[in-house]
């Protein structure tokens, strides 16, 4: 039988520096959720969230390794470079979140009366959760766009910032639904509209790049990105002014945490989280606007 297609397996997918990083991601991810599932413990919402993140990242990483190794990614109707870059950044953010949340909620340095096995498993899981973060961060570092290099948009600083912006917005939404009392004033409802509008457009930009559909826009993609980012900066400036005033000014809210607030169920705490990440996202959008001016956009299949 004639071999007209060349090698079917891509050995570089597991032997290159990026390939090794992905193999470590799969190994650390599998080890982490296995330790937690065995004896580490993952009850309540925080534990379930951590397990969901580790399982999701493991599954997608295995999918990426398999597609790269077998060259099946060429059969998919997506921009593979944009997809892998976007996922690596998202997984980095999700894994560092779980690497912080899990130890804070489940690691106890004192032993239970029946022994120290549960404590040892939870500490080990926390260590591997940290290693998982470094493995994903390494991939982001290795695949990021270098000056003068033609690469996928999601591997550029602007593309990576889009993922961070969306992730920060998700944290804001989580705080909003946690009894933030945002519906008390029209002004704070405007802030929610700002967060929602910017989040949706950010997701649209990422989706267009991952699916390779940027050419479907009626205007040049680079112009759309810059205009949208500029509008997002203006809207976040308004939210950065309005939200603290209507939450922490004595006329509308409280500048100090109320004494009667219980831990985890205090509207004031949620309002602080929203205020902090409003300023975080404002800085991210300003940086995105600055970097977008320096990118030379090229078409990718």
């Amino acid at each position: 039988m004639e071999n007209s297609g060349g090698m079917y397996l891509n050995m570089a997918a597991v032997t290159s520096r990026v390939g090794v990083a992905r193999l470590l991601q799969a190994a650390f991810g599998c080890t982490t959720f296995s330790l937690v599932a065995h004896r580490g413990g993952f009850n309540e919402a925080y534990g379930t969230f951590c397990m969901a993140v580790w399982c999701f990242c493991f599954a997608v990483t295995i999918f990426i390794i398999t597609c790269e190794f077998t060259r099946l990614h060429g059969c998919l109707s997506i921009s593979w470079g944009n997809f892998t870059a976007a996922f690596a950044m998202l997984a980095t953010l999700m894994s560092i979140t779980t690497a912080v949340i899990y130890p804070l909620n489940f690691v106890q340095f004192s032993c239970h009366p029946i022994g120290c096995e549960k404590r040892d498993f939870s500490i080990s899981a926390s260590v591997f959760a940290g290693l998982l973060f470094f493995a994903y961060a390494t991939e982001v570092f290795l695949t990021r766009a270098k000056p003068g290099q033609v690469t996928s948009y999601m591997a550029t600083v602007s593309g990576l910032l889009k993922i961070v912006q969306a992730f920060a917005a998700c944290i804001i939404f989580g705080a909003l639904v946690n009894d933030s009392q945002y519906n008390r004033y029209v002004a704070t409802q405007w802030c929610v509209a700002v967060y929602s509008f910017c989040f949706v457009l950010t997701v649209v930009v990422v989706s267009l790049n991952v699916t390779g559909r940027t050419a479907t826009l009626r205007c040049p993609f680079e112009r759309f990105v810059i205009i949208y980012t500029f509008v997002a900066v203006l809207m976040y400036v308004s939210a950065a002014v309005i939200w603290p005033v209507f939450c922490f000014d004595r006329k509308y809210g409280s500048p100090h945490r109320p004494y009667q607030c219980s831990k985890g169920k205090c509207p004031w705490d949620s309002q602080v989280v929203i205020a902090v990440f409003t300023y975080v996202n404002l800085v991210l959008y300003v940086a995105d606007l600055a970097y977008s001016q320096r990118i030379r956009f090229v078409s990718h299949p």
Side-chain angles (χ1 to χ4, degrees):
M1 186 182 244
E2 243 182 75
N3 183 5
S4 58
M7 294 183 64
Y8 291 105
L9 299 181
N10 178 20
M11 298 306 299
V14 293
T15 58
S16 65
R17 291 187 297 174
V18 175
V20 171
R22 287 171 178 163
L23 289 176
L24 290 176
Q25 293 162 11
F28 292 151
C30 182
T31 304
T32 302
F33 67 70
S34 297
L35 289 170
V36 172
H38 182 56
R39 288 298 300 273
F42 62 98
N43 58 334
E44 299 180 354
Y46 287 126
T48 303
F49 169 76
C50 291
M51 280 293 284
V53 167
W54 294 324
C55 293
F56 168 75
C57 292
F58 174 77
V60 178
T61 299
I62 291 297
F63 170 75
I64 290 174
I65 293 173
T66 302
C67 289
E68 289 270 2
F69 187 65
T70 60
R71 304 180 190 271
L72 284 176
H73 61 85
C75 303
L76 303 176
S77 59
I78 62 174
S79 175
W80 187 252
N82 281 312
F83 170 72
T84 55
F87 169 72
M89 188 70 240
L90 176 62
T92 300
L93 296 171
M94 295 175 73
S95 59
I96 193 175
T97 302
T98 56
V100 173
I101 289 177
Y102 187 80
L104 289 178
N105 289 275
F106 296 98
V107 172
Q108 296 179 348
F109 292 99
S110 58
C111 291
H112 293 279
I114 58 175
C116 300
E117 189 177 24
K118 181 178 175 64
R119 181 204 64 177
D120 296 341
F121 271 91
S122 60
I123 292 176
S124 300
S126 300
V127 171
F128 278 99
L131 293 175
L132 181 64
F133 157 69
F134 283 111
Y136 281 113
T138 299
E139 181 180 349
V140 172
F141 176 78
L142 293 174
T143 58
R144 77 194 191 286
K146 280 78 172 177
Q149 179 185 18
V150 177
T151 187
S152 304
Y153 172 77
M154 295 308 302
T156 65
V157 173
S158 183
L160 296 174
L161 284 173
K162 294 288 189 299
I163 303 297
V164 185
Q165 292 160 7
F167 189 79
C170 289
I171 296 176
I172 292 175
F173 293 141
L176 282 171
V177 300
N178 189 27
D179 195 24
S180 63
Q181 299 179 348
Y182 68 86
N183 56 351
R184 289 199 303 170
Y185 304 105
V186 175
T188 51
Q189 292 177 22
W190 159 255
C191 294
V192 176
V194 169
Y195 306 141
S196 303
F197 175 79
C198 294
F199 172 76
V200 169
L201 278 186
T202 299
V203 172
V204 168
V205 170
V206 173
S207 300
L208 287 174
N209 278 280
V210 171
T211 58
R213 299 289 187 269
T214 56
T216 60
L217 294 174
R218 300 199 169 200
C219 65
F221 177 70
E222 59 270 26
R223 184 177 301 173
F224 170 75
V225 169
I226 292 173
I227 292 175
Y228 136 70
T229 307
F230 177 69
V231 172
V233 168
L234 295 180
M235 296 181 73
Y236 259 92
V237 167
S238 69
V241 173
I242 292 173
W243 185 268
V245 169
F246 280 83
C247 290
F248 307 121
D249 186 86
R250 293 184 186 277
K251 183 178 179 180
Y252 305 102
S254 172
H256 306 290
R257 191 178 192 274
Y259 294 108
Q260 67 271 22
C261 268
S262 59
K263 183 180 178 182
K265 296 183 178 180
C266 183
W268 194 86
D269 292 344
S270 297
Q271 292 166 3
V272 170
V273 171
I274 294 166
V276 169
F277 279 93
T278 296
Y279 285 102
V280 168
N281 245 358
L282 175 59
V283 172
L284 291 173
Y285 277 109
V286 171
D288 190 3
L289 183 63
Y291 276 104
S292 295
Q293 301 290 326
R294 301 166 54 184
I295 297 178
R296 181 184 175 188
F297 290 84
V298 294
S299 298
H300 288 280

